[in-house]
Amino acid sequence: MGTTQLETVPEPKYWHLKTVLSEALDSEFAVGEILPNERELAARFGVARATLRQALEQLELEGRLQRRRGVGTTVAPPRVGVDVGPAQGGAQGWPGAPGDVWHTEYGEEAEPPAPVARLLGVGEGTAVHAVFRSRTSGGQPVATEVVYVPAGSVPELPEAPGEAAEGAEGAARGRAVLRELHRLDLDGQDRSVELGSARADDARRLDRLPGAPVLVVTTRYIAGGRTAAVGIATFRADTCRLTFADSGAVPALVG
Amino acid sequence: MGTTQLETVPEPKYWHLKTVLSEALDSEFAVGEILPNERELAARFGVARATLRQALEQLELEGRLQRRRGVGTTVAPPRVGVDVGPAQGGAQGWPGAPGDVWHTEYGEEAEPPAPVARLLGVGEGTAVHAVFRSRTSGGQPVATEVVYVPAGSVPELPEAPGEAAEGAEGAARGRAVLRELHRLDLDGQDRSVELGSARADDARRLDRLPGAPVLVVTTRYIAGGRTAAVGIATFRADTCRLTFADSGAVPALVG
DNA sequence: GAGTGGTCTAGACCACGGG
DNA sequence: CCGTGGTCTAGACCACTCC
């Protein structure tokens, strides 16, 4: 190092630290390798632990590091590309269609959050079907999703027992909701992606702490000119790169 | 508040604070309103300023707040939906095609970052055309982009003067590169979205501090079976929601 | 110059994972 | 049990904006 700060506008220490660490990660560490602990790193660089942590947080946000309480800080593998392109759920495009990469875990009745109720065109406080799904990549959980389906979209579905179903029964109920949904003709769908922070339950499923940064993908399924269902998918932002193969018979973005 | 912590697993203070503040924002504050300053809020809640800041940081990440040094903390408007769907650049799909929402600012020769060089299939250290563009929404800058175009994709382009062109001349040069690109038949494109942190130059253009969270959209343009160009777009994660209208003649996701 | 958020320090204790 | 990262404190000073 041995920098002689000639900067007229001095860089913050944590920013400089981040650069130095980033270069060290490229040249001196292998994926999965465990770094010295925070107290030692801070001492080595001559900064307070909080300052060092600010640099580590940024590197973790960028997917370069992985930190685990009680374990340590390790060098993260490159982000995995996760396909969320159109028709990911098979030719039909509906969630749960053949070829879908999600695993249906559970179905129940629930009141959707207010923004979802608005998209669905149902009043706030109206209970709809909620199907919980999860997605893994390379053995690691990468995303959780809730698909909200208003009763009007699946009129043939037999009335559910009022109580939440347990285990296998709940999964069967979730699959039944999606199966009924497939009877509709899907006109199209649109998606949006935004940054969010993991709620406590999502964090647990994703093996992260509450508040961890996530990419929230909102999918609106259109059938018969109406919004037939809405999916809210929550991807780990530290480990995922969302890929969209928009058109053409093109292999997915590599890397 | 007056909570009597009956939680067996006590919530972190900043997490609880975030919830309280979030509810207060919903009910007691209007968009654009200025909050009390950090020292006063910390005192009011009986926590250290650093703890309060942890809560504010999360709320800013979620797009609920906007903080500006020397000014204060204000309530942010809802995130703007920014269309990045296929064919956003007009029927052709190329960057800079008629109807494109980006503003071309500058063109020069530059060495692309290593991952981009890999996508382009050129060796590291090879200079390519780099076209800088920007995008605004509602008068606010929301994104910057660099489109990298290897010389082989635009063989007809007259050789550039070695030096960087200034002002209007640079913009003209950038537009010339894109115009030449349009002579190719676009076979398709794929995109990926991931979380990143703003480099110093992007941060300045986006009116944010270095390290601010951004959504990085990588677009690969395919022509003649090869990667003809690669665009790296950087969107403000706090103010933007990226929208993809995947299929069907469907209006964009509202909200 | 006054007031704001941004950076930094030097401590302390806690929750978790693994031996 | 010990070592790890996670939370929290009570200060200090700096950079920026606006008056």
Side-chain angles (χ1 to χ4, degrees):
Chain A
M1 287 287 316
T3 56
T4 55
Q5 72 277 4
L6 4 103
E7 303 271 2
T8 66
V9 178
E11 244 175 1
K13 276 190 184 177
Y14 77 92
W15 186 260
H16 186 231
L17 250 183
K18 182 191 142 186
T19 308
V20 172
L21 285 168
S22 181
E23 286 164 3
L25 289 180
D26 286 332
S27 60
E28 299 169 32
F29 288 88
V31 167
E33 197 169 343
I34 182 165
L35 266 60
N37 73 51
E38 296 184 349
R39 289 161 180 88
E40 180 177 339
L41 279 177
R44 188 178 300 186
F45 287 106
V47 299
R49 191 176 154 221
T51 303
L52 175 84
R53 280 179 58 82
Q54 214 173 337
L56 294 183
E57 265 151 36
Q58 285 237 357
L59 289 169
E60 191 181 27
L61 200 80
E62 293 173 25
R64 306 285 312 270
L65 292 178
Q66 203 149 354
R67 298 146 87 200
R68 304 182 79 105
R69 169 153 50 177
V71 179
T73 301
T74 56
V75 181
R79 280 188 176 138
V80 292
V82 177
D83 184 28
V84 290
Q88 53 139 317
Q92 272 283 86
W94 285 114
D100 196 351
V101 293
W102 293 83
H103 172 67
T104 300
E105 289 189 335
Y106 197 76
E108 65 177 18
E109 311 280 313
E111 286 183 22
V116 173
R118 222 164 3 231
L119 284 175
L120 289 172
V122 306
E124 259 184 73
T126 308
V128 302
H129 301 289
V131 181
F132 294 81
R133 313 200 296 163
S134 65
R135 186 166 171 175
T136 59
S137 175
Q140 301 297 321
V142 295
T144 69
E145 183 183 39
V146 188
V147 181
Y148 294 98
V149 183
S153 294
V154 288
E156 309 276 338
L157 197 73
E159 267 309 309
E163 309 81 41
E166 297 289 329
E169 193 186 340
R173 173 130 196 89
R175 281 191 293 268
V177 171
L178 297 185
R179 199 162 43 230
E180 281 302 307
L181 201 55
H182 299 169
R183 298 161 75 115
L184 300 175
D185 277 331
L186 183 63
D187 295 334
Q189 58 189 43
D190 55 31
R191 285 209 170 82
S192 75
V193 178
E194 63 189 311
L195 179 59
S197 50
R199 295 193 323 271
D201 55 342
D202 287 330
R204 199 169 354 92
R205 294 158 183 259
L206 295 176
D207 191 24
R208 300 259 60 199
L209 291 177
V214 291
L215 295 171
V216 180
V217 180
T218 303
T219 308
R220 189 161 65 118
Y221 298 92
I222 319 272
R226 290 175 48 259
T227 301
V230 168
I232 307 289
T234 299
F235 291 80
R236 281 184 60 155
D238 55 344
T239 60
C240 290
R241 194 184 69 244
L242 307 183
T243 65
F244 297 80
D246 278 345
S247 56
V250 171
L253 207 60
V254 294
Chain B
M1 284 293 313
T3 56
T4 56
Q5 72 276 4
L6 2 104
E7 304 271 2
T8 65
V9 178
E11 242 175 2
K13 276 189 185 176
Y14 77 91
W15 186 260
H16 186 231
L17 250 184
K18 182 190 142 184
T19 308
V20 173
L21 285 169
S22 181
E23 286 164 4
L25 289 181
D26 286 331
S27 60
E28 299 169 34
F29 288 89
V31 167
E33 198 169 342
I34 295 189
L35 267 61
N37 72 51
E38 297 184 349
R39 288 160 181 89
E40 179 176 339
L41 279 177
R44 187 178 300 187
F45 286 107
V47 299
R49 190 175 154 221
T51 304
L52 174 84
R53 280 179 57 83
Q54 215 172 338
L56 294 183
E57 265 151 35
Q58 285 237 355
L59 289 169
E60 192 180 26
L61 201 79
E62 293 173 23
R64 306 285 313 270
L65 292 179
Q66 202 149 355
R67 297 147 88 202
R68 304 182 81 104
R69 168 155 48 176
V71 179
T73 301
T74 56
V75 181
R79 281 188 177 137
V80 292
V82 178
D83 184 29
V84 290
Q88 53 139 313
Q92 272 283 84
W94 285 114
D100 195 351
V101 293
W102 293 84
H103 172 67
T104 300
E105 290 189 334
Y106 198 75
E108 64 176 19
E109 313 281 311
E111 286 183 21
V116 173
R118 221 163 8 234
L119 284 175
L120 289 173
V122 306
E124 258 184 73
T126 306
V128 302
H129 301 289
V131 180
F132 294 81
R133 313 200 296 163
S134 66
R135 187 167 169 173
T136 59
S137 175
Q140 300 297 321
V142 295
T144 69
E145 184 184 39
V146 188
V147 181
Y148 293 98
V149 182
S153 294
V154 287
E156 309 277 338
L157 197 72
E159 267 309 310
E163 309 81 41
E166 297 289 328
E169 194 185 341
R173 171 131 196 91
R175 280 192 294 269
V177 171
L178 298 185
R179 199 164 40 227
E180 282 302 305
L181 201 55
H182 299 170
R183 298 160 74 115
L184 299 176
D185 277 332
L186 183 64
D187 294 336
Q189 59 189 46
D190 54 30
R191 285 211 171 80
S192 76
V193 179
E194 64 188 310
L195 180 59
S197 50
R199 297 191 323 270
D201 54 343
D202 287 329
R204 199 169 356 93
R205 294 158 181 261
L206 295 176
D207 193 22
R208 299 258 62 200
L209 291 176
V214 290
L215 296 171
V216 180
V217 179
T218 303
T219 309
R220 188 161 63 120
Y221 298 92
I222 320 274
R226 290 173 48 255
T227 301
V230 168
I232 308 289
T234 300
F235 290 80
R236 282 185 60 155
D238 54 343
T239 59
C240 290
R241 194 183 71 243
L242 308 183
T243 64
F244 298 79
D246 279 345
S247 55
V250 170
L253 205 61
V254 293

